[in-house]
Amino acid sequence: MGVETPERKQKVCLVTISLAGGGAERSTAVLSQMLTSKGYYVTTAVVVNAVDYEYSGSLYAIGSGKKSFGFISSFMRLRRFRSFLKREQFDLIIDNRSRPENFKERIYSGYLYKGFKLLYVVRSFRLATYFPASKPLAHKMIDRALGVVGVSKAIAKAVKEQYSTAKVYQVYNPVPLASIQAQAGTKMMAGDYIMAMGRLYDDVKNYSLLLEAYAASKLPANKIQLFLMGDGPDKVKLQDKAHVLELDKMVQFLPFNPNPYPFLQGAKCSVLTSHYEGFPRAVIESLAVGTPVVSVDCQSGPAEIIQPGENGLLVPNYNVAALAEALNNIIFDQELLAKCRQNAKTSVAHLDVDVIADHWDKLIQELL
């Protein structure tokens, strides 16, 4: 007997910078899988033709493997993309890109997307990343669209308040529990360590705070290492800081890995120290493999995921002493650590792809 396939619904085009490198890109790849599972025809259009993550449906490359193009070349690419959108007659476009540039967004909103039903997704609390500086243009973009989807309650609230619109919806980032746990496997990585993962970009991830708190904690003296996984422009800067803090032998810089889950699963805890987030995948993926999280209470996301003392610890941001104390507490209080490990997986069950796929499906059907 063949496998039943869901009844086909509308055609959806997801627009994103790429399917490589970051949490927003991974979330878009997962969104393509969720919508396909609900019966939609999905095409993911990428500005940069780079793919690290598994996706479902078809792929359309707006650009090549690099971000910068000449003006004429860029215009021709966008013109071809407009023709592609019209030819395919998509029922809905979901734009996941960052959108800070006035000129570019006039082209996307007023030309590329003209005549199409559109949703904008905001994946960071730093709204300036997802809306252009021109407030009139941002209002016009929202007016032309079906609405804006925020991936956390805090983001949805901020969009409503800053742009005076009721056309805002909230759908959390999902976590594919079964897939992540399968990729993690059953074998733990060797050694005692804590872990943080993400792009090595200190203006966002604030790994300097993590290094300072780790140095101030009891972990180095107890031979518990810190793994930083990811690539980015600040790798040398952070390596230099680790050297100044005399942590050369205790901090390991690991390259980006599309399957970080065996490392996460083997960690005593994971840590997030960002200046700002959206709904951080690093936190929910850590909990998905049973690893508690120590996080700063940044805007936004951690406070909507972490239940202090139940699946991790939440501390005030920019406080080295508080973060160091939290690391000591979760590592050396065996009862607390065991409790948080026991609760970790169930604490993100409501974020499983099947649950969030239903939320997306319901929203799309209501709007279309």
Side-chain angles (χ1 to χ4, degrees), residues 32-317:
S32 75
Q33 296 171 330
M34 289 192 298
L35 294 184
T36 298
S37 76
K38 302 304 290 186
Y40 295 91
Y41 287 105
V42 178
T43 297
T44 302
V46 293
V47 177
V48 178
N49 191 10
V51 178
D52 284 334
Y53 307 123
E54 291 186 11
Y55 64 92
S56 294
S58 59
L59 186 72
Y60 177 88
I62 300 172
S64 61
K66 55 184 180 179
K67 289 188 178 181
S68 299
F69 318 113
F71 177 79
I72 295 177
S73 176
S74 295
F75 177 77
M76 294 304 295
R77 292 174 193 274
L78 293 178
R79 186 176 177 181
R80 285 195 294 270
F81 182 40
R82 168 70 178 175
S83 297
F84 171 76
L85 293 175
K86 292 174 68 176
R87 183 172 65 252
E88 293 296 319
Q89 297 183 319
F90 288 102
D91 297 288
L92 178 65
I93 296 172
I94 303 177
D95 189 332
N96 295 269
R97 299 172 304 120
S98 55
R99 300 174 288 269
E101 299 176 35
N102 290 334
F103 179 71
K104 183 181 292 184
E105 295 319 309
R106 291 184 192 279
I107 294 174
Y108 270 82
S109 175
Y111 170 61
L112 284 178
Y113 297 156
K114 186 176 181 180
F116 289 96
K117 294 179 179 178
L118 171 68
L119 278 174
Y120 289 113
V121 179
V122 178
R123 299 191 178 278
S124 170
F125 192 79
R126 191 170 185 266
L127 300 188
T129 304
Y130 282 89
F131 292 103
S134 169
K135 273 291 184 71
L137 175 58
H139 282 292
K140 185 176 291 187
M141 289 166 58
I142 295 171
D143 288 343
R144 288 171 174 168
L146 295 176
V148 178
V149 177
V151 299
S152 73
K153 292 177 181 177
I155 288 174
K157 182 174 182 289
V159 172
K160 286 180 181 178
E161 292 176 350
Q162 291 194 33
Y163 296 96
S164 304
T165 178
K167 296 165 62 175
V168 182
Y169 311 93
Q170 188 267 313
V171 183
Y172 282 135
N173 281 336
V175 54
L177 287 173
S179 173
I180 285 176
Q181 290 161 7
Q183 291 179 74
T186 57
K187 186 177 180 180
M188 296 285 191
M189 301 297 294
D192 291 331
Y193 61 93
I194 64 172
M195 179 174 170
M197 65 177 188
R199 194 160 185 259
L200 300 183
Y201 186 36
D202 215 30
D203 284 349
V204 177
K205 298 302 182 182
N206 199 13
Y207 286 134
S208 289
L209 173 66
L210 173 55
L211 289 171
E212 291 171 12
Y214 173 70
S217 75
K218 299 175 183 177
L219 276 62
N222 284 272
K223 307 300 181 184
I224 298 172
Q225 291 186 293
L226 168 62
F227 289 1
L228 290 178
M229 178 179 284
D231 301 323
D234 290 334
K235 182 176 181 178
V236 173
K237 169 190 169 182
L238 294 169
Q239 287 175 325
D240 289 344
K241 188 173 186 69
H243 176 72
V244 170
L245 293 169
E246 300 182 349
L247 296 173
D248 303 76
K249 295 182 180 180
M250 298 305 299
V251 178
Q252 287 195 37
F253 289 84
L254 306 177
F256 167 79
N257 189 328
N259 179 15
Y261 309 120
F263 292 91
L264 269 179
Q265 184 172 247
K268 288 185 172 294
C269 74
S270 69
V271 191
L272 184 133
T273 53
S274 301
H275 292 287
Y276 56 87
E277 282 286 347
F279 195 72
R281 297 198 64 84
V283 172
I284 55 180
E285 289 177 352
S286 179
L287 294 170
V289 297
T291 299
V293 180
V294 174
S295 176
V296 299
D297 189 12
C298 66
Q299 293 278 25
S300 67
E304 297 179 38
I305 306 169
I306 295 174
Q307 304 157 28
E310 298 294 326
N311 63 357
L313 296 174
L314 200 62
V315 301
N317 207 351

